[in-house]
Amino acid sequence: MNYSTLKKGLAVSFVAVMGVTTLASAQTDSTSTSSSAKVFGGRGQYRTWSIGVNAGVLSPFVAIGGSNDFKNADVNLGYGVSLKKQLGHAFGLEGNIFRGKVSGSNKDMPGGQQGGITNFETQIGYAADIRGVVNVATVDFLRRENSVNFFVTVGYGLVAYAPKVTTVGGAVTDWKDKAGDSHDKKYVKEAYIPVGAGVKFKVSDRVAFNLGYTMHFIDGDNFDGVYAKGTTKDKFSYGYAGLEFSLGSKAKPNLDWVNPLAMMYDELKDPSLRQEVEALKTRVSNVEKSVEDLKKDSDGDGVSDQFDKCPGTPAGTAVDGSGCPLPVAAAPTVVNASNATGFETIQFEFNSSVLKTESYPTLDKLSSVLKESNGKALVKGYASSEGTAAYNLKLSKDRANSVKTYLVNSGVSASKVATKGLGEANPIASNDTEEGRIQNRRVETSRN
């Protein structure tokens, strides 16, 4: 018996049973703790939608500088709303709509004017954009929970605006008047790129307070009503404060504030998981002990005690699969040339048709008899019962042909030797014992 195979088989069976048990347990735990967020559990276990309101100041200048058509900036009110979908711990998509007024003047320029223009005022009918929001402090190695988070944004939008410009003489050019009566035609529409940054403070599990600053780069040079050759495209900024409200089930945490490192640590240190691991170790130890018991062989005969029907076999004794001593086969009879008749039985090894050297005297005598007379011989091959009947029949034919080949090579005419394979037929001893099977592996020769 191959005990290595037995051990592997038991181990595989044990793992399979444990796998089913663990899976069932995991499914039960998942159902009972569906309200608890897990690592790799998907967005469905969090609140990911939020709505915000904000208000702040609009300016024709931006923090990174650049050229402007006016020297001085006025501070004006802006206000807006936002809707955000958090796609992961660090990234979300946010839609924004805001309105307000942007204005500036040339009061610090000589004569309070530049190019004959003293000031402008641009009414933003609406500005709408979609932005990618990247949280830069979600993964925190120092704290389990964040209460402050920094973010950066960039996106693409469309702004509808109507500038009003005042000249030195007090004349006012209002783009609304120039655009016509239709409300839609009163505004110039341009694309813009919003780029911003900010900080978010956690007020409660539902509410956050945001401070942010966004620069808007417009794809045009008429936002302030002045087209100045050689200047860059217009821009404006929005510094704001606002509140953001998380939407969804109260039982779920807000994805904005979840630290994935803390979640992973909690799962690794989960007491129930550790108990499962310890239980698994115990079961594996029990299986290994059972396998070692199966391998125990007190008398050292190669058959474990569990299957040994003859315990206490002396060392060195050849045994069968049940641990009992094998019968001692009788020594083969050696035929001398002086007393051989040529018709003695010729024996073969297991699963072999090769002639043994001890059969040569018999075959040499048979060769002499056939060459000195007109007689013929019938060579009949046999086999023991191991293997299939078809295979044993072929083996018996091969054994008979081995004898004929020897005789023909020694000078006997092939016509004087006939062969026949009889397979397992006509055993001269029991095939239930090794000693009997040895006797049945033979060739018998008779006069034909």
Side-chain angles (χ1 to χ4, degrees):
M1 179 178 289
N2 190 327
Y3 292 100
S4 176
T5 302
L6 174 62
K7 183 175 181 180
K8 290 179 180 177
L10 288 171
V12 170
S13 300
F14 170 75
V15 171
V17 172
M18 283 303 299
V20 172
T21 302
T22 303
L23 177 59
S25 175
Q27 290 174 339
T28 301
D29 291 346
S30 177
T31 301
S32 61
T33 61
S34 59
S35 61
S36 300
K38 297 292 183 182
V39 176
F40 308 120
R43 287 192 299 271
Q45 59 188 337
Y46 303 102
R47 282 183 277 123
T48 57
W49 286 97
S50 61
I51 188 169
V53 294
N54 55 76
V57 294
L58 289 163
S59 169
F61 296 165
V62 296
I64 61 175
S67 62
N68 292 90
D69 296 327
F70 290 84
K71 179 67 174 178
N72 304 99
D74 297 331
V75 175
N76 295 283
L77 176 66
Y79 55 92
V81 295
S82 64
L83 179 65
K84 187 178 71 171
K85 171 67 173 180
Q86 194 68 24
L87 300 178
H89 290 287
F91 181 75
L93 288 176
E94 182 179 80
N96 286 272
I97 299 177
F98 65 93
R99 298 187 66 184
K101 183 176 68 174
V102 179
S103 64
S105 68
N106 288 317
K107 64 181 181 180
D108 289 341
M109 294 293 289
Q113 59 84 29
Q114 180 173 290
I117 305 298
T118 60
N119 60 74
F120 84 96
E121 178 182 298
T122 297
Q123 186 70 38
I124 299 176
Y126 65 85
D129 60 66
I130 185 167
R131 308 175 188 178
V133 182
V134 179
N135 293 332
V136 296
T138 300
V139 179
D140 196 333
F141 291 86
L142 302 177
R143 305 172 185 81
R144 292 186 58 84
E145 295 183 2
N146 295 331
S147 57
V148 179
N149 201 349
F150 298 91
F151 61 88
V152 294
T153 64
V154 64
Y156 183 85
L158 180 69
V159 59
Y161 60 89
K164 184 167 59 175
V165 177
T166 303
T167 65
V168 175
V172 176
T173 302
D174 192 338
W175 282 65
K176 284 187 178 181
D177 296 333
K178 294 173 64 176
D181 294 333
S182 170
H183 176 76
D184 187 57
K185 293 181 179 179
K186 292 179 179 180
Y187 293 95
V188 179
K189 298 179 179 64
E190 296 281 6
Y192 70 92
I193 301 295
V195 179
V199 60
K200 177 185 296 187
F201 302 92
K202 183 177 182 181
V203 178
S204 69
D205 195 45
R206 285 281 190 180
V207 182
F209 176 68
N210 298 348
L211 292 176
Y213 179 80
T214 306
M215 298 177 291
H216 305 77
F217 299 92
I218 302 173
D219 189 22
D221 189 30
N222 54 357
F223 180 75
D224 53 12
V226 175
Y227 177 76
K229 186 176 180 180
T231 62
T232 59
K233 295 179 179 180
D234 287 337
K235 49 196 172 291
F236 69 95
S237 62
Y238 180 42
Y240 62 90
L243 294 176
E244 185 176 334
F245 303 91
S246 176
L247 306 177
S249 172
K250 185 178 180 181
K252 297 180 180 180
N254 185 356
L255 184 55
D256 273 339
W257 301 106
V258 173
N259 183 357
L261 290 177
M263 286 179 58
M264 187 172 293
Y265 178 85
D266 288 342
E267 283 201 3
L268 292 174
K269 293 299 182 180
D270 188 345
S272 62
L273 178 62
R274 295 179 66 84
Q275 291 173 5
E276 286 289 336
V277 172
E278 293 302 322
L280 179 61
K281 289 180 180 179
T282 302
R283 293 172 189 173
V284 171
S285 297
N286 292 337
V287 170
E288 290 179 343
K289 183 179 183 302
S290 298
V291 172
E292 291 301 321
D293 291 342
L294 288 175
K295 292 171 58 179
K296 187 176 181 181
D297 180 14
S298 301
D299 55 12
D301 60 1
V303 179
S304 67
D305 292 350
Q306 182 171 354
F307 303 103
D308 197 340
K309 295 181 179 179
C310 300
T313 304
T317 303
V319 298
D320 58 18
S322 62
C324 295
L326 292 170
V328 180
T333 302
V334 179
V335 180
N336 297 321
S338 59
N339 58 12
T341 65
F343 294 95
E344 287 82 8
T345 299
I346 298 172
Q347 302 295 142
F348 290 82
E349 294 292 341
F350 169 72
N351 196 29
S352 174
S353 60
V354 178
L355 292 169
K356 296 182 178 181
T357 56
E358 55 260 31
S359 65
Y360 292 168
T362 297
L363 295 173
D364 290 340
K365 181 63 177 179
L366 179 59
S367 175
S368 297
V369 171
L370 294 177
K371 287 189 290 186
E372 294 172 359
S373 67
N374 293 325
K376 298 182 179 181
L378 174 61
V379 181
K380 296 179 288 186
Y382 295 93
S384 55
S385 61
E386 297 98 330
T388 64
Y391 180 80
N392 289 332
L393 179 62
K394 178 181 180 301
L395 181 61
S396 67
K397 291 179 181 178
D398 293 342
R399 288 170 174 170
N401 288 330
S402 293
V403 172
K404 180 177 180 177
T405 299
Y406 186 93
L407 294 174
V408 171
N409 290 339
S410 67
V412 177
S413 174
S415 62
K416 287 188 174 184
V417 182
T419 61
K420 187 174 185 180
L422 298 172
E424 303 174 11
N426 307 322
I428 60 175
S430 173
N431 277 309
D432 294 334
T433 65
E434 181 61 24
E435 183 179 5
R437 291 190 287 272
I438 292 173
Q439 296 180 48
N440 290 331
R441 300 165 190 151
R442 71 194 190 282
V443 163
E444 295 178 350
T445 306
S446 61
R447 297 183 184 275
N448 191 4

